[in-house]
Every structure is written in structure tokens, then in C-alpha cells.
DNA sequence: GATTCACTTAGCACATCAGCTAAGTGTCTT
DNA sequence: AAGACACTTAGCTGATGTGCTAAGTGAATC
């Protein structure tokens, strides 16, 4: 395993479970529904044509990933969204978009310079990871 | 199935495969490596302690999701990132963050009003999906 | 032309996932 | 107290995914 700070490894595991949780359309629909506010399991399930125990398994995946939290109130379980895990993905995207765009900026600058001089651009060197 | 515009269904399927592709640490590491620039399969594989055919299968998943593209140049295959699928996730996050934050804003406004008046807040009503 | 390199293809074993039904449990209503 | 409601638990089946080894193929090098 590549050496990491412990925090980085924890975050990588979070990314595993968050991306995995969101890779299923049923679970993504649940997250989308919950952006409008908390809901009971029954309300959430009503929008899906699968058996209730199956649906509950999907909620379990969302809860283990941290995307939602639930609490039992009498005989109903109320579910609400947790913003922090979405921020983990957003952070990952932002960091990599910045790297990607920084590289595009350098390519654009190089292309602009070479257009002015009329020379063909040299090959872009690959970098080790 | 809930009625969608065809474009929306296509995007939902894209979200399935993109989130799924990124749920695996090996594949995410490949995407991260490629933000620094194109690389050959051999270079990418060198950073991973799995068999080459297994690694190639991961690249296949990334390519089918659209996150990367590759082309054969002589006997080496060069892989590069495609930004568009990351934008699909970013768009999804942005749309849902906006909804979530709009709802938080309303709650904050309500809390501020009620702090001024000294009354307890009424329960927040759940909404149908 | 032979050899090496860089994949590519085939197929196996095992684990996990997503669907289901049936039965059970605790809470609320009658 | 009985019945209904809202989950909860258990276990099954089929599909999918991730790891592997072995063998094959085409391009570059010797």
C-alpha cells in the first residue's frame, strides 16, 4: 500500500463507500429526495417498486456510508441527509479539477506562444505517479 | 419508472456508471494519476500490486464509463482523462447542494425570526418525492 | 527471423450485491 | 386485549465484480 497519512486513508475509504453508495439509482433517488427534507422510510419506499426489506438494505448502505442518518420515533423511522459526505466528494472533484485545469492552462499558454512563433509544439511529457 | 425526458434517463445511467467506476480505489487512483497527464498502461500499472489483466479490466470499467479514453500507439496503449464525466458528477452535486442549502437557509431565517420572538419553532413538514 | 515487450483473451474461484418471500417484533390504534 | 401498522430479521437465488493464472497476439528490438 502506498504510504498515507492516516487521515488520507480514512478519506479514501470514505470515498469508496460514498461513491459506491451513490452508484445505485435507488440510493441516489433517496439522497435526492432527502435534499428536500427528512422523510419516513414508508414515504421514501412508496416511490420505489421494490420489496420493503430490499429498500431497507439500500438505506443501510446509505447509512453506513454516512450519507444519511435515521432515528426511530415510535413505530416509524425518520431519515435525513448528512451533508458532510457530499462535501467529501465535492472536495475530491475540486482538487482534481484544479489539477486538470492547471495542466490545460499550461497547454493553452504553450499553444498560444507557439502559434505566435509558428513552430510545432514539442510532445507533452507523461509524468510518473 | 418515474417519467423522465430521455436526456435525464441517459444522465442517470451515466451517473450509475461514473459513481460505480469511482467506487473502487484502484480506479480512482488511475483517474487521479491521469489528471497529471496521459500515461501508458504499463506506467499506470506499475503503481498497483495487482495482476496486469486485472488492472486492464479496471481500465475497461473506466473507459466504458467515459472517464478515460485510450488509443493504441504501436505496442503501447496510452490513456488519458476525459473531463466531461467528472462534470456530470459535479453538476449533480451542485444541483443537490443548492436544494439542500436553500432549505437550510429557510430554516436559518425561521430560527432567527423565532429567536427574536421567543416562541418555539413549529415542526418542519416532510415533503413528498 | 528470433526474441522481447506490452498488452489481450480466456476461464476459474470466490465474494458481494440486489432482488425476493416468509416470518417476526415493537408501536400505535381500535 | 386484539388488530393493524411500520418496519426488522432471516435466508434463498441469480447476477456481477474482483482477484488470479495461463496462453495468445501484434509491435518493436536485436
Amino acid at each position: 500500500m502506498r504510504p498515507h497519512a492516516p487521515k488520507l486513508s480514512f478519506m479514501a475509504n470514505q470515498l469508496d463507500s460514498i461513491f459506491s453508495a451513490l452508484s445505485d439509482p435507488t440510493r441516489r433517488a433517496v439522497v435526492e429526495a432527502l435534499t428536500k427534507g427528512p422523510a419516513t422510510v414508508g414515504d421514501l419506499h412508496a416511490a420505489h417498486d421494490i420489496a420493503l426489506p430490499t429498500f431497507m438494505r439500500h438505506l443501510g448502505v446509505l447509512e453506513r456510508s454516512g450519507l444519511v442518518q435515521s432515528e426511530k420515533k415510535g413505530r416509524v423511522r425518520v431519515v435525513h441527509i448528512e451533508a458532510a459526505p457530499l462535501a467529501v466528494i465535492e472536495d475530491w472533484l475540486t482538487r482534481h479539477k484544479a489539477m486538470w485545469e492547471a495542466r490545460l492552462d499550461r497547454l493553452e499558454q504553450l499553444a498560444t506562444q507557439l502559434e505566435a512563433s509558428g513552430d510545432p509544439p514539442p510532445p507533452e511529457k507523461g509524468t510518473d505517479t
Side-chain angles (χ1 to χ4, degrees), chain A residues 3-117:
Chain A
H4 281 131
K7 179 171 176 277
L8 217 57
S9 290
F10 171 73
M11 183 157 53
N13 289 337
Q14 268 200 294
L15 284 163
D16 288 357
S17 67
I18 295 167
F19 278 123
S20 178
L22 292 171
S23 68
D24 179 87
T26 298
R27 295 196 290 268
R28 224 171 33 249
V30 168
V31 170
E32 290 170 358
L34 293 174
T35 57
K36 300 170 188 166
T40 65
V41 166
D43 285 344
L44 291 167
H45 174 239
H48 296 272
D49 195 20
I50 62 176
L52 180 58
T54 305
F55 186 77
M56 290 293 302
R57 288 252 295 284
H58 283 298
L59 286 190
V61 173
L62 287 172
E63 197 147 17
R64 286 192 296 283
S65 75
L67 283 157
V68 308
Q69 275 186 6
S70 69
E71 53 275 343
K72 194 79 171 188
K73 294 184 173 179
R75 67 186 184 186
V76 303
R77 182 170 288 278
V78 181
V79 192
H80 65 271
I81 198 166
E82 285 289 324
L86 293 171
V88 172
I89 299 187
E90 187 176 33
D91 182 57
W92 184 85
L93 279 170
T94 300
R95 279 189 288 111
H96 291 91
K97 184 181 178 186
M99 290 172 67
W100 164 255
E101 287 184 342
R103 188 175 158 271
L104 283 179
D105 285 347
R106 290 198 296 275
L107 285 173
E108 282 179 7
Q109 286 169 6
L110 186 62
T112 301
Q113 288 167 8
L114 292 165
E115 275 177 7
S117 73

